Amino acid sequence: MLETITFFLPEICIALTAIIILISGLFIKNRNVLTAISCIGIIASAVLTVIYQYDPMSHGIVYASGLLCIDMTSFYFRMLFAVIALLVVMASQDYAKNFESKYPEYLVLINLALLGMTLLVSSYNLISMFASLELMALSFYALTSLMNTKQSAEAGMKYILLGGINSAILLFGMSLVFGYTGSINIDDIFFSIMGTADPEIGLILGIAMIIAGFSFKTAAVPFHSWAPDVYDGSPTTITLFLSTASKLAGMATLARLIEIVSYGSPTVLAPKLAIVIAVLSVLSMLVGNIGAIRQTNIKKMLAFSGISQTGYMMLALAAFCLNAADASVSNYEIFIGLITFAVAFALAEAAAFTGVITISDHIKSDKIENYRGIAKQAPFAAVVITIALLSLMGLPATAGFIGKFEVFASTHNTVLIIIGVLNSVISAAYYLNVIRVMWTGENEYKGKIEASWLPLTVMVVAATLVIGIGLFGFNYI
Amino acid sequence: MTLEYYIILAFLLFAIGLYGAFSRRSAIMIFISIEIMLNAVNISLVAFSKFSAIATAYGHIFTIFSMVVAAAEVTIGLAIVLAIFRHFEDIDTNDINLLK
């Protein structure tokens, strides 16, 4: 029991950081100091994760009485979330003047959301899964409604009402799965599903409700209706956090659940699940891409593009169900595809949103038409946004291409690959439109647009990594 | 009393809550509907735990977690409803549609 305390050191570090900021926020009014404390805490937790949570043999260690586990997925996603949280805190440096008095609470909530997400991807039990999901969700409800504007309050209300309904559905699904398998432990559920040749309707309903619950967090169609409004209304830095970390946390958990269900019952449940996930995936791609084309607001356009990216990630989940019965396809390959895509997506979003924050902060507008010719005023931010959008589109020599290639290849299904590639072509319409608007014409805003050094670092790091992964592949970075 | 009765009760309560959550327009009523749904879940969890072939306490523990989370959610929810009322002087979800 006592030795497992070292496994908790990253979490303890994040929680301590949150408490320290909460207390020191009462005395310290200097934003730079608070940012520094938060960055140090997140970096320390990432270092502790590498030391104590890295599992090179990837055989999976279950600890905390079966509540949490260490495996390859949890390790990679924990590191990714730490990097995203760090980038978000750094990118907030200029933007935080919009909620100056609430800055300590803002950092505390970001740390608590990070804590929820790191626990969620390690969860090996329905109780810890639900509790950490809610820790993440409750922090995000507060974060979305943090700014003292009508839009922010409305975004928070929409998110919490739909999120509350969603968590009730998720919880009901969990209770049904518990009732029909007799356990809440992922391993026991796996063996229980394996042991039943003919699963009961209650179990299928429970699994469907859990999938619906996590699909809401990943903003997959038809559970996406909250995403554009909430992304638009919340502070832009939180939009970045919500559209990457929250989405990927839901996706990682969904991957874990779908993996055990489809490998537990490769002949009965997996084919049914494959259809459901493939339909969710194709719908997300189509609705996301077609919705993004007619958006005039860049935050909403990025929200819809995020929905279509969810569709591509869902392809990797569909790959679990499609290839469960086929022993020649290892789930390792599919996980690598999902993680590569997730890293590429998160970095590109971080670059794009930081650029948008920098520009929108000066021109006081999120409308795409007001970005006309902005490349003259903000050449660096425009280059970064261009790289990020090209990566989201999946242009070769960017990280997005590697991610899409790995995901498409892992499905081993020609129809899904063709649909995915066609959707990438559709998506070029709106990504290239933004790039065209930025680089042509004249902008009304004549001043120089420059970011302070922290957001600048975020843009440099994210854009460099996007190009680096695109050129050298994920394994060498 | 057997397990079926409890599960039917839980499903009925859940359906009532779900209907309320989608048909009501006042934010407070939607929160009450969500609470009904969560209580339906609690009934089903406890019933499954009691009648399960292998006697486990997981359901009871899960119920405590779900009650705590529900309380926390309502706390944040009411705070957001207060913020909404300050900005809009109204909590009718149909009238709050700046973000379109």
Side-chain angles (χ1 to χ4, degrees), chain A residues 3-24:
Chain A
E3 63 267 27
T4 62
I5 198 79
T6 55
F7 291 140
F8 282 112
L9 283 175
E11 282 90 345
I12 292 173
C13 183
I14 301 171
L16 267 183
T17 312
I19 295 168
I20 291 171
I21 297 169
L22 194 62
I23 296 170
S24 58

Side-chain angles (χ1 to χ4, degrees), chain A residues 17-331:
Chain A
T17 312
I19 295 168
I20 291 171
I21 297 169
L22 194 62
I23 296 170
S24 58
L26 296 172
F27 315 108
I28 302 170
K29 294 295 168 217
N30 189 344
R31 219 159 62 199
N32 297 334
V33 178
L34 294 172
T35 309
I37 297 174
S38 184
C39 288
I40 291 168
I42 294 169
I43 292 171
S45 87
V47 171
L48 288 169
T49 308
V50 174
I51 297 173
Y52 293 110
Q53 298 263 342
Y54 184 52
D55 178 23
M57 313 305 282
S58 94
H59 43 50
I61 304 164
V62 178
Y63 63 104
S65 315
L67 283 172
L68 301 167
C69 75
I70 297 173
D71 60 5
M72 198 183 68
T73 330
S74 78
F75 175 74
Y76 277 109
F77 276 102
R78 273 164 175 259
M79 291 306 290
L80 185 56
F81 294 150
V83 170
I84 294 171
L86 192 64
L87 294 182
V88 169
V89 170
M90 285 162 72
S92 315
Q93 190 63 11
D94 289 344
Y95 192 75
K97 64 175 179 292
N98 296 317
F99 42 84
E100 185 77 61
S101 61
K102 295 177 191 161
Y103 193 61
E105 287 85 349
Y106 169 83
L107 290 179
V108 170
L109 286 168
I110 285 187
N111 274 289
L112 289 179
L114 176 63
L115 182 60
M117 287 182 290
T118 51
L119 287 171
L120 180 59
V121 288
S122 309
S123 295
Y124 213 61
N125 186 308
L126 295 184
I127 289 185
S128 56
M129 215 171 257
F130 177 71
S132 46
L133 178 85
E134 287 300 316
L135 177 58
M136 175 187 95
L138 292 174
S139 312
F140 271 116
Y141 298 147
L143 281 170
T144 45
S145 51
L146 192 87
M147 278 209 294
N148 194 16
T149 60
K150 280 187 170 186
Q151 284 83 358
S152 183
E154 183 184 337
M157 192 195 67
K158 282 188 171 158
Y159 193 25
I160 197 170
L161 288 179
L162 291 172
I165 296 169
N166 170 68
S167 54
I169 292 174
L170 173 74
L171 197 56
F172 201 68
M174 284 182 171
S175 89
L176 286 174
V177 168
F178 161 63
Y180 285 92
T181 60
S183 179
I184 51 169
N185 192 298
I186 296 286
D187 265 339
D188 295 343
I189 292 172
F190 174 74
F191 288 122
S192 172
I193 290 174
M194 217 172 185
T196 48
D198 186 23
E200 287 179 77
I201 186 79
L203 179 62
I204 295 174
L205 190 64
I207 293 169
M209 284 170 129
I210 292 181
I211 290 175
F214 283 107
S215 299
F216 175 88
K217 288 283 168 241
T218 65
V221 177
F223 311 103
H224 70 292
S225 56
W226 60 277
D229 290 357
V230 173
Y231 286 12
D232 186 18
S234 34
T236 314
T237 46
I238 295 311
T239 312
L240 163 61
F241 204 26
L242 196 60
S243 67
T244 52
S246 170
K247 173 175 287 188
L248 294 176
M251 194 57 85
T253 324
L254 203 54
R256 192 187 289 286
L257 290 167
I258 285 174
E259 190 199 5
I260 61 142
V261 173
S262 53
Y263 283 87
S265 168
T267 48
V268 187
L269 283 178
K272 289 187 184 124
L273 208 55
I275 297 172
V276 173
I277 300 294
V279 166
L280 282 180
S281 157
V282 172
L283 275 180
S284 304
M285 286 192 270
L286 277 176
V287 172
N289 281 328
I290 292 169
I293 289 176
R294 50 184 194 83
Q295 294 307 317
T296 54
N297 179 321
I298 193 153
K299 276 164 89 176
K300 283 201 171 179
M301 188 218 84
L302 284 170
F304 274 101
S305 107
I307 293 170
S308 74
Q309 304 282 335
T310 303
Y312 300 128
M313 278 186 265
M314 284 271 181
L315 278 185
L317 304 193
F320 281 125
C321 320
L322 287 167
N323 301 313
D326 185 356
S328 66
V329 183
S330 73
N331 55 354

Side-chain angles (χ1 to χ4, degrees), chain A residues 125-127 130-131 134 138-139 141-142 144-145 147-158 160-169 171-172 174-176 178-185 188 205 209 229-230 232-234 295 300, chain B residues 7 10-11 14 18 21-22 26-28 30-31 34 37-38 40-42 44-46 48-49 52 54 56-62 65-66 69-70 72-74 76-78 80-81 83-84 86-88 91-93 96-100:
Chain A
N125 186 308
L126 295 184
I127 289 185
F130 177 71
E134 287 300 316
L138 292 174
S139 312
Y141 298 147
T144 45
S145 51
M147 278 209 294
N148 194 16
T149 60
K150 280 187 170 186
Q151 284 83 358
S152 183
E154 183 184 337
M157 192 195 67
K158 282 188 171 158
I160 197 170
L161 288 179
L162 291 172
I165 296 169
N166 170 68
S167 54
I169 292 174
L171 197 56
F172 201 68
M174 284 182 171
S175 89
L176 286 174
F178 161 63
Y180 285 92
T181 60
S183 179
I184 51 169
N185 192 298
D188 295 343
L205 190 64
M209 284 170 129
D229 290 357
V230 173
D232 186 18
S234 34
Q295 294 307 317
K300 283 201 171 179
Chain B
I7 301 307
F11 261 101
F14 190 81
L18 198 61
F22 283 114
S26 157
I28 299 285
I30 297 176
F31 274 117
I34 293 172
M37 286 158 83
L38 288 172
V41 176
N42 291 347
S44 84
L45 277 173
V46 172
F48 275 131
S49 204
S52 150
I54 332 136
T56 59
Y58 289 143
H60 304 296
I61 300 166
F62 213 145
F65 272 84
S66 99
V69 166
E73 199 166 278
V74 163
I76 294 183
L78 290 181
I80 291 176
V81 169
I84 283 283
R86 265 209 314 275
H87 284 296
F88 293 86
I91 53 165
D92 189 326
T93 48
I96 300 164
N97 51 7
L98 285 175
L99 304 168
K100 265 272 147 63

Side-chain angles (χ1 to χ4, degrees), chain A residues 429-449:
Chain A
Y430 55 88
Y431 290 132
L432 291 179
N433 176 44
V434 174
I435 296 172
R436 179 184 62 81
V437 168
M438 280 196 310
W439 289 91
T440 56
E442 284 290 324
N443 197 283
E444 291 162 7
Y445 186 84
K446 293 296 174 211
K448 201 96 186 102
I449 297 179

